[in-house]
Amino acid sequence: MRRILEIAHARDVPVALCTLVSNLEGFHPLRSQTPHPPMGSAPQGLLADYPHHAALHFAAGLTWRAAGDSAAALAAFKRARDLDAIHLRACTPFNEIIRQLAAEPGAWLIDVERAFSAHSAHGLIGDELISEYLHPTAMGHHLIARRVLEAVVERAGELGLVGGDFDRLDSFAGYSRRLGYGVCDRVLARNDLILLLRRMPYRQRPRTLERRLVQLVDEQLRELPKMSYAQIADFARRGGFRFLADTIGELGADDQNQLSARLQALAVPLGLAP
């Protein structure tokens, strides 16, 4: 990265470095190092004996979040991410390197991670802005774009830019309308996300993922009736209802019964039963 910056600086090319973001509170670590702590014990009390166990730090983060200690929860979620033995998310040293390089001549920092934290409840980046482990949602992409443009506007004189009014930018809802990003797009993308999450390489599906799948299926069942009959019929031809039924079949009994009844109530009157 430093060599790239040197080449750009030699050619008078301005460079901005953006910090990386990932899902902290919504994505359970994929794999934890052994030995594993005993089951049924309070996670906070075990951290001293199992300091490198990613899932234990994640469980402690959930406990601290529920207790209202967001600072302790954030530290635990970050530690869980950094210790994940299947390392799909950028860990803390990555952003430390980016911040260090941006402090040197030839680059400037756009702190996307801080922008995401500021937008998230209690600073805990989760499913609203990150689809699964690190890919931003549509809202996340909008937030990145606004933060990058805001940083460029702040240096307009230095960059030789003139004109433009940052205050005239539209809202996320406004840009969604302009792009034609509506309910049909969300429904199709959500099924793709459900499939990806079902295929995550956990040895045993964590409760966090189970609740996330329940949430996503619930959102599908609430948004499908907003579509036209032709769109719903196309969703059925794509195997959408069968896919949701298969997903529901993997959930716990209580969720299965409730969601299956809602799926049938939606599909059967339309002649589209899975």
Side-chain angles (χ1 to χ4, degrees):
M1 289 182 69
R2 180 171 281 111
R3 180 61 181 145
I4 291 171
L5 292 176
E6 290 171 353
I7 293 170
H9 185 62
R11 289 161 175 76
D12 295 322
V13 177
V15 177
L17 298 178
C18 296
T19 49
L20 303 166
V21 292
S22 58
N23 193 337
L24 293 176
E25 71 166 355
F27 191 79
H28 190 284
L30 289 166
R31 197 78 80 245
S32 297
Q33 297 182 28
T34 56
H36 297 297
M39 299 294 291
S41 302
Q44 302 95 313
L46 296 171
L47 289 175
D49 294 327
Y50 301 88
H52 302 296
H53 196 273
L56 187 62
H57 282 276
F58 187 81
L62 294 176
T63 302
W64 276 314
R65 184 189 65 182
D69 191 341
S70 56
L74 178 60
F77 288 140
K78 285 184 175 181
R79 190 67 177 145
R81 175 198 61 195
D82 293 351
L83 290 171
D84 195 339
I86 298 182
H87 214 67
L88 300 181
R89 295 174 288 175
C91 56
T92 297
F94 285 35
N95 278 338
E96 290 176 346
I97 292 170
I98 290 170
R99 289 189 170 93
Q100 176 186 342
L101 290 174
E104 299 175 7
W108 41 284
L109 181 70
I110 300 179
D111 203 336
V112 173
E113 183 185 43
R114 179 171 294 180
F116 270 51
S117 295
H119 185 87
S120 304
H122 309 296
L124 304 175
I125 301 172
D127 296 328
E128 180 193 9
L129 298 178
I130 306 292
S131 294
E132 10 62 7
Y133 46 95
L134 59 79
H135 296 100
T137 62
M139 170 62 82
H141 280 291
H142 174 257
L143 186 59
I144 292 172
R146 286 189 69 92
R147 180 64 197 101
V148 169
L149 182 57
E150 181 181 34
V152 169
V153 169
E154 289 170 354
R155 291 170 172 78
E158 172 189 339
L159 297 172
L161 303 175
V162 294
D165 183 0
F166 186 80
D167 293 332
R168 293 179 60 190
L169 290 178
D170 207 343
S171 64
F172 172 66
Y175 282 118
S176 295
R177 287 192 297 270
R178 294 189 191 192
L179 292 169
Y181 182 72
V183 60
C184 187
D185 303 281
R186 292 196 299 270
V187 165
L188 295 177
R190 196 175 289 119
N191 258 24
D192 290 339
L193 175 57
I194 291 171
L195 178 61
L196 175 64
L197 292 176
R198 285 173 60 183
R199 290 178 172 176
M200 282 286 110
Y202 292 106
R203 290 197 175 107
Q204 182 176 356
R205 181 177 289 176
R207 179 167 174 76
T208 303
L209 177 55
E210 182 89 358
R211 300 320 303 165
R212 177 68 168 143
L213 291 173
V214 170
Q215 175 197 8
L216 290 169
V217 173
D218 173 73
E219 290 175 359
Q220 292 293 68
L221 297 177
R222 285 190 286 109
E223 291 224 292
L224 277 164
K226 300 176 184 177
M227 296 162 55
S228 68
Y229 176 79
Q231 290 172 327
I232 297 175
D234 180 65
F235 179 80
R237 282 193 296 270
R238 293 168 180 255
F241 281 120
R242 169 50 54 191
F243 174 76
L244 289 178
D246 290 344
T247 302
I248 292 170
E250 297 179 0
L251 303 175
D254 291 341
D255 293 313
Q256 275 192 42
N257 294 336
Q258 181 199 98
L259 294 173
S260 292
R262 290 174 57 193
L263 180 62
Q264 293 293 327
L266 171 64
V268 170
L270 298 175
L272 302 172

